[in-house]
Amino acid sequence: MASPETRRRLGENVTAYGFLCAALVVFSLFAWYPAIRNIILSFQEVNFVRGSSWVGFDNFSYIFDDPLFATAWRNSAIFTLYALVLGFGVPFVTALLINEFRHARAYFRVLVYLPVMLPPVVVALMWRWFYQPDGGLINEILGTVGLPTSDWTNSSSTALISLVIVSTWANMGTATLIYLAALQTIPGELYEAAELEGAGIWRRIWHVTIPQTRFVILMLLLLQVVATMQVFTEPFVMTGGGPQDSTVTVMLLIYRYAFVYNNFGAASAMSLLLLLVLAVFSAAYLRVTRSQQT
Amino acid sequence: MREAQLRTLVRPAVLKTTRGRLVYWSLFAIAIILFTVAFIIPLYWMVTGGLKSSPELARNPPTYIPEEFHPSNYSDTWNRLELARYFGNTVVLIGGAWLLGLAIQLPAAYALSKLRPRFGKIVLGMMLVTLMVPATALLIPTYLTVTDVPVLGLNLINNPAAVWLPAAANAFNIYVLKNFFDQIPDELLDAARIDGAGAFTTMWRIILPLSRPIIAVVSILSISALWRDFLWPMVVLPDPAKQPITVYLQRIADTTSLNMLIAGMVLASIPLVVVFLIFQRHILAGLTAGSLKG
């Protein structure tokens, strides 16, 4: 016979799982099951009519044989690298500057965050128009102040960096505001102490500002790698992967395999490789944030 | 926005010297100009582009101020592109996902935080693991799951639920809500229980009213993520009549006259930008608070 105590515990558990059940259903169907299914699909030929069949490593040999495989990984890696340099440098310097100013801080803050509020599709379409070599806004501004113009997205040598500029412009607001908040937590005594030691402005940045914001910098860099490795909207809308495949990214290739060539097995194999790469960075991110929570 | 002045990188005394003032104001002027060029001019270019006639838009060099204003272009675009319908679709998709998400995530977080069922820690851990696997990278298996939902055997393609359900499986929201609920003292709940309140009444009457600020933060984050998502709605809503405005604009970009497309882009951007400008303080405060506390 169950004691009243056990029965009460059982009742409490039933109630708790009642509250959890909807969450468990959506997680099972749309998070846990797809994660496992992605591995299975990688070794299958997906056929909607005849059902799926096991094909071993055929999907992997198919994608390794695709000349675009290396191109896509290289482009995504270069994109990520550029985005790290621009996406770290620009917001950090911007935050440093805003933090020194005594006027119009709200204006700077609202402006830098404004593009984050625009849908990425609108941003991509807008910049596609700005980048036009003849009569486009960007070349027009550069020409006016006497700087050299460029072919931007119309040349395979500059297309990728053009997309990085767009993505930095659109997303730097978040990073800038987070850096700004981090800068405001640095105790002023540290700067005063550095001054007494005779440290100039650059050494103060190097020895006080950067070590004090190290955790936030690392956190945002890792998040950014995870975000830019999955870049899709900009190349899809602005260049379609061109010119000469110079902007084909991993996610764009996955999309093509699945929704253009109807080869879901190859798309899953490619996704599996991407997931492995992303999981490494996500794990690092979680470790960094955990270590900080004391 | 008046803030308490903190001691920053530059010594306050330096700003009192003539040379210090000169450097400060010249840097300030440069920053104002750069920010305005980078963030205001693109938006100005879009809004005025939507006011120009087609021949004027095609001109090289472009006109900085429209020679002829055609405000009717905006109303024509609204009617001819049937933007009301696509805005309606967007509201249904985002509003439904937001409400369903809260309806699933709030009880789940409450159960994990306060009802503490057996294996609750394991359930939370399994949910958090999904954060390491970004949804975009699981595009293919999630898509195949939506085309044929296991157990239920439903095909959700072209159904708003294809956007609502996967969005509800959001571990980050559950984690943030649970952390907040953890800080609500148990004594409050015990008092309610002694008064004979059940688990649901306790959540509804005590926990939720105390959690308004965190629910607002989670809502802002969810809605802006949904607003920015493009790949998923494009893939699961192939029927043009069901698409949100962003997918629609991308689809018609190459077949619509430029001035109409630009007017459509401006109209699509207005709602969130206006909301942001009204609530910018709360949004920016919520953003940085949420990110620094982790």
Side-chain angles (χ1 to χ4, degrees):
Chain A
M1 274 318 284
S3 68
E5 173 62 18
T6 328
R7 214 173 304 156
R8 195 182 59 80
R9 280 296 305 159
L10 185 72
E12 279 181 3
N13 273 313
V14 168
T15 313
Y17 276 102
F19 278 80
L20 270 170
C21 77
L24 290 174
V25 168
V26 289
F27 270 90
S28 306
L29 287 179
F30 301 105
W32 298 327
Y33 172 63
I36 295 162
R37 193 171 175 193
N38 197 45
I39 302 171
I40 296 169
L41 286 169
S42 305
F43 300 99
Q44 284 189 330
E45 185 191 349
V46 183
N47 188 307
F48 292 107
V49 186
R50 284 180 290 126
S52 301
S53 51
W54 294 97
V55 291
F57 284 90
D58 285 7
N59 289 325
F60 289 94
S61 48
Y62 172 87
I63 60 173
F64 292 152
D65 286 343
D66 185 346
L68 279 181
F69 177 84
T71 314
W73 282 101
R74 200 182 54 236
N75 288 340
S76 280
I78 295 174
F79 194 107
T80 304
L81 207 68
Y82 279 150
L84 276 185
V85 176
L86 273 181
F88 159 70
V90 176
F92 193 74
V93 172
T94 308
L96 267 180
L97 263 181
I98 298 178
N99 202 34
E100 292 309 315
F101 288 145
R102 303 281 176 274
H103 311 85
R105 291 166 69 140
Y107 174 77
F108 286 126
R109 230 184 288 177
V110 168
L111 274 199
V112 82
Y113 201 71
L114 210 49
V116 181
M117 290 289 129
L118 304 175
V121 173
V122 169
V123 169
L125 289 170
M126 174 168 120
W127 279 79
R128 193 169 77 166
W129 172 49
F130 292 167
Y131 272 143
Q132 283 174 349
D134 304 316
L137 174 68
I138 309 293
N139 279 352
E140 191 58 30
I141 291 178
L142 291 174
T144 308
V145 289
L147 290 167
T149 57
S150 159
D151 282 342
W152 302 113
T153 45
N154 294 326
S155 148
S156 57
S157 56
T158 50
L160 203 54
I161 189 87
S162 305
L163 298 187
V164 178
I165 292 171
V166 176
S167 131
T168 305
W169 180 86
N171 300 314
M172 71 180 273
T174 314
T176 306
L177 294 175
I178 292 173
Y179 285 138
L180 199 54
L183 290 175
Q184 289 173 348
T185 61
I186 301 176
E189 297 83 52
L190 292 176
Y191 286 124
E192 279 160 16
E195 241 163 52
L196 291 176
E197 307 266 318
I201 224 153
W202 301 114
R203 287 187 53 202
R204 265 178 258 159
I205 293 177
W206 184 247
H207 290 292
V208 178
T209 316
I210 291 183
Q212 285 291 313
T213 48
R214 197 180 48 213
F215 157 69
V216 176
I217 293 172
L218 187 58
M219 189 180 86
L220 284 181
L221 289 185
L222 287 168
L223 270 184
Q224 193 163 19
V225 170
V226 173
T228 47
M229 279 308 284
Q230 309 171 65
V231 68
F232 172 82
T233 307
E234 287 95 346
F236 180 80
V237 175
M238 293 178 69
T239 59
Q244 288 117 45
D245 298 324
S246 63
T247 54
V248 173
T249 60
V250 172
M251 210 58 224
L252 197 62
L253 198 55
I254 291 173
Y255 174 84
R256 276 190 200 172
Y257 284 154
F259 299 101
V260 181
Y261 311 139
N262 254 320
N263 188 340
F264 283 87
S268 302
M270 191 78 172
S271 300
L272 190 62
L273 298 178
L274 177 63
L275 283 172
L276 292 174
V277 173
L278 293 178
V280 171
F281 286 107
S282 302
Y285 170 76
L286 287 178
R287 283 200 61 159
V288 170
T289 46
R290 281 272 166 80
S291 69
Q292 197 62 18
Q293 284 179 3
T294 38
Chain B
M1 270 217 169
R2 302 293 311 155
E3 293 156 71
Q5 273 316 331
L6 300 153
R7 165 67 169 85
T8 54
L9 205 50
V10 180
R11 192 158 22 129
V14 170
L15 289 176
K16 300 224 172 19
T17 63
T18 321
R19 187 166 160 271
R21 279 213 190 112
L22 196 69
V23 172
Y24 174 85
W25 285 111
S26 17
L27 270 179
F28 184 76
I30 292 169
I32 287 269
I33 292 169
L34 276 180
F35 263 71
T36 309
V37 169
F39 298 111
I40 297 274
I41 290 193
L43 299 181
Y44 167 83
W45 208 247
M46 277 234 292
V47 174
T48 52
L51 292 167
K52 292 174 184 174
S53 62
S54 280
E56 191 181 347
L57 259 182
R59 206 177 304 168
N60 181 20
T63 46
Y64 284 90
I65 296 161
E67 286 175 0
E68 296 175 348
F69 284 87
H70 295 276
S72 59
N73 190 20
Y74 279 99
S75 45
D76 289 351
T77 304
W78 177 267
N79 295 327
R80 268 206 280 169
L81 297 185
E82 294 179 90
L83 289 186
R85 173 205 285 183
Y86 294 100
F87 263 120
N89 289 348
T90 313
V91 169
V92 166
L93 290 172
I94 294 183
W98 168 63
L99 286 174
L100 183 76
L102 282 183
I104 288 176
Q105 290 151 13
L106 286 167
Y110 167 68
L112 291 170
S113 165
K114 294 298 176 199
L115 305 176
R116 299 192 199 103
R118 258 190 104 145
F119 310 122
K121 279 214 163 74
I122 296 174
V123 170
L124 181 65
M126 280 179 63
M127 285 178 177
L128 290 178
V129 165
T130 63
L131 289 177
M132 295 177 59
V133 194
T136 316
L138 283 177
L139 173 78
I140 308 301
T142 317
Y143 171 80
L144 291 175
T145 306
V146 165
T147 58
D148 182 13
V149 180
V151 188
L152 307 172
L154 295 168
N155 179 352
L156 295 177
I157 293 297
N158 284 329
N159 184 324
V163 170
W164 297 344
L165 290 166
N170 184 326
F172 178 80
N173 286 357
I174 292 182
Y175 180 70
V176 169
L177 290 168
K178 178 191 170 289
N179 273 359
F180 187 89
F181 294 166
D182 283 345
Q183 291 161 7
I184 297 175
D186 284 348
E187 289 77 26
L188 278 176
L189 309 190
D190 293 338
R193 198 170 304 142
I194 288 163
D195 290 344
F200 183 80
T201 315
T202 313
M203 176 178 87
W204 192 251
R205 286 285 168 81
I206 295 175
I207 301 271
L208 295 192
L210 288 172
S211 312
R212 279 200 196 111
I214 198 73
I215 293 173
V217 169
V218 164
S219 300
I220 288 171
L221 291 175
S222 304
I223 291 171
S224 48
L226 287 157
W227 175 241
R228 298 171 61 78
D229 197 11
F230 161 73
L231 175 57
W232 182 252
M234 174 175 74
V235 165
V236 295
L237 303 167
D239 177 0
K242 300 269 186 0
Q243 291 171 345
I245 195 156
T246 47
V247 176
Y248 170 68
L249 285 174
Q250 198 278 324
R251 184 165 52 83
I252 61 162
D254 294 326
T255 53
T256 313
S257 70
L258 189 57
N259 58 351
M260 274 186 117
L261 179 68
I262 292 165
M265 278 151 57
V266 172
L267 291 169
S269 309
I270 286 173
L272 212 67
V273 168
V274 168
V275 167
F276 168 65
L277 292 175
I278 296 171
F279 295 109
Q280 46 110 351
R281 272 191 187 184
H282 308 91
I283 292 175
L284 298 185
L287 169 100
T288 44
S291 63
L292 283 182
K293 290 198 186 90

